Amino acid sequence: MHEYMSTAWVWGLTCPGFPEEVSRARRWTRDILCGSPLAEDAELIVSELSANAILHTASGRESGSFHLALAVSSQVVALSVTDDGGAGTAPKIAHRDQEAEHGRGLGMVSAIAHRVVVHDSDDGHTVTAELFTDTHPGGHPC
């Protein structure tokens, strides 16, 4: 294989920061991953990350938007949601008790995904969740 060739496929989508766009993001993810055993988990992750962008950042304000990237290779499905920033703090993975009404979303994403990375920039935050395609029975690889 040529050194600049890749076997990964990458898609991108920009959505206005309206709550109804979360269902569009879910449908987009489901359509791309149609037939994949990771499709349901990916759809749930995209839903949570998109909703967080709209609820907690400038993405949900007038003229705001959020951006999705989906990369698929034989080893991993990587889902990224980038918000418009303006939250004052970066997203954090918190493990709250079952009675908590807020702050459990990224904890749930980290329980489903094999790896979650939060990247901060001057323009916003990108949360990337990775689902490995070749895992051993019982969950996360060693």
Side-chain angles (χ1 to χ4, degrees):
M1 177 186 292
H2 188 274
E3 68 178 299
Y4 297 115
M5 297 296 289
S6 172
T7 58
W9 290 82
V10 181
W11 292 264
L13 177 69
T14 298
C15 297
F18 303 125
E20 57 270 18
E21 291 297 313
V22 174
S23 63
R24 178 178 172 210
R26 287 176 65 108
R27 185 174 56 252
W28 178 79
T29 303
R30 183 177 54 243
D31 289 348
I32 290 170
L33 296 175
C34 182
S36 168
L38 300 174
E40 288 182 16
D41 286 346
E43 186 180 350
L44 180 61
I45 289 168
V46 163
S47 178
E48 181 60 35
L49 297 180
S50 299
N52 282 352
I54 291 169
L55 291 172
H56 303 296
T57 75
S59 293
R61 296 183 192 142
E62 187 176 330
S63 75
S65 61
F66 61 98
H67 316 279
L68 298 114
L70 175 58
V72 179
S73 74
S74 59
Q75 295 86 24
V76 67
V77 171
L79 309 143
S80 297
V81 175
T82 302
D83 64 45
D84 284 344
T89 60
K92 292 181 212 140
I93 298 171
H95 299 283
R96 313 254 175 167
D97 66 30
Q98 292 180 337
E99 306 303 317
E101 293 184 23
H102 301 286
R104 298 185 322 184
L106 280 180
M108 177 189 67
V109 168
S110 71
I112 296 169
H114 294 98
R115 187 167 87 147
V116 177
V117 177
V118 178
H119 176 75
D120 302 320
S121 74
D122 292 336
D123 299 324
H125 310 97
T126 300
V127 180
T128 301
E130 296 176 350
L131 299 166
F132 300 147
T133 59
D134 189 24
T135 60
H136 299 94
H140 303 288
C142 298

PDB file of all heavy atoms in Angstrom, residues 5 17 39 58-59 83 115 130:
ATOM      1  N   MET A   5      -1.939   6.291   1.402  1.00  0.00           N
ATOM      2  CA  MET A   5      -3.252   5.672   1.274  1.00  0.00           C
ATOM      3  C   MET A   5      -3.745   5.239   2.635  1.00  0.00           C
ATOM      4  O   MET A   5      -2.973   4.882   3.507  1.00  0.00           O
ATOM      5  CB  MET A   5      -3.183   4.457   0.345  1.00  0.00           C
ATOM      6  CG  MET A   5      -2.778   4.795  -1.078  1.00  0.00           C
ATOM      7  SD  MET A   5      -3.974   5.832  -1.913  1.00  0.00           S
ATOM      8  CE  MET A   5      -5.286   4.671  -2.138  1.00  0.00           C
ATOM      9  N   GLY A  17     -27.464  24.596  15.596  1.00  0.00           N
ATOM     10  CA  GLY A  17     -27.578  24.227  17.002  1.00  0.00           C
ATOM     11  C   GLY A  17     -28.988  24.158  17.543  1.00  0.00           C
ATOM     12  O   GLY A  17     -29.269  24.657  18.632  1.00  0.00           O
ATOM     13  N   ALA A  39     -23.334   0.132  15.472  1.00  0.00           N
ATOM     14  CA  ALA A  39     -24.220   1.222  15.064  1.00  0.00           C
ATOM     15  C   ALA A  39     -25.053   1.773  16.220  1.00  0.00           C
ATOM     16  O   ALA A  39     -25.161   2.990  16.377  1.00  0.00           O
ATOM     17  CB  ALA A  39     -25.122   0.766  13.928  1.00  0.00           C
ATOM     18  N   ALA A  58     -21.983  27.506  23.137  1.00  0.00           N
ATOM     19  CA  ALA A  58     -22.507  28.486  22.183  1.00  0.00           C
ATOM     20  C   ALA A  58     -23.132  27.825  20.959  1.00  0.00           C
ATOM     21  O   ALA A  58     -23.821  28.490  20.185  1.00  0.00           O
ATOM     22  CB  ALA A  58     -21.396  29.441  21.761  1.00  0.00           C
ATOM     23  N   SER A  59     -22.939  26.554  20.787  1.00  0.00           N
ATOM     24  CA  SER A  59     -23.566  25.843  19.667  1.00  0.00           C
ATOM     25  C   SER A  59     -25.087  25.951  19.716  1.00  0.00           C
ATOM     26  O   SER A  59     -25.742  25.962  18.677  1.00  0.00           O
ATOM     27  CB  SER A  59     -23.167  24.366  19.670  1.00  0.00           C
ATOM     28  OG  SER A  59     -21.801  24.225  19.398  1.00  0.00           O
ATOM     29  N   ASP A  83     -18.006  21.529  19.339  1.00  0.00           N
ATOM     30  CA  ASP A  83     -18.954  22.597  19.644  1.00  0.00           C
ATOM     31  C   ASP A  83     -18.345  23.960  19.343  1.00  0.00           C
ATOM     32  O   ASP A  83     -17.188  24.062  18.962  1.00  0.00           O
ATOM     33  CB  ASP A  83     -19.433  22.492  21.095  1.00  0.00           C
ATOM     34  CG  ASP A  83     -18.328  22.679  22.122  1.00  0.00           C
ATOM     35  OD1 ASP A  83     -17.505  23.616  21.964  1.00  0.00           O
ATOM     36  OD2 ASP A  83     -18.289  21.923  23.099  1.00  0.00           O
ATOM     37  N   ARG A 115     -12.545   4.393  24.382  1.00  0.00           N
ATOM     38  CA  ARG A 115     -11.694   5.525  24.734  1.00  0.00           C
ATOM     39  C   ARG A 115     -12.456   6.807  24.425  1.00  0.00           C
ATOM     40  O   ARG A 115     -13.142   6.898  23.415  1.00  0.00           O
ATOM     41  CB  ARG A 115     -10.400   5.485  23.936  1.00  0.00           C
ATOM     42  CG  ARG A 115      -9.395   6.539  24.368  1.00  0.00           C
ATOM     43  CD  ARG A 115      -8.058   6.266  23.775  1.00  0.00           C
ATOM     44  NE  ARG A 115      -7.969   6.867  22.459  1.00  0.00           N
ATOM     45  CZ  ARG A 115      -6.851   7.348  21.948  1.00  0.00           C
ATOM     46  NH1 ARG A 115      -5.730   7.264  22.620  1.00  0.00           N
ATOM     47  NH2 ARG A 115      -6.835   7.878  20.754  1.00  0.00           N
ATOM     48  N   GLU A 130     -14.126   6.539  20.803  1.00  0.00           N
ATOM     49  CA  GLU A 130     -13.681   5.467  19.920  1.00  0.00           C
ATOM     50  C   GLU A 130     -14.291   4.146  20.349  1.00  0.00           C
ATOM     51  O   GLU A 130     -14.284   3.803  21.539  1.00  0.00           O
ATOM     52  CB  GLU A 130     -12.157   5.357  19.951  1.00  0.00           C
ATOM     53  CG  GLU A 130     -11.462   6.591  19.418  1.00  0.00           C
ATOM     54  CD  GLU A 130      -9.953   6.510  19.536  1.00  0.00           C
ATOM     55  OE1 GLU A 130      -9.438   5.588  20.209  1.00  0.00           O
ATOM     56  OE2 GLU A 130      -9.288   7.372  18.952  1.00  0.00           O
TER      57      GLU A 130
END
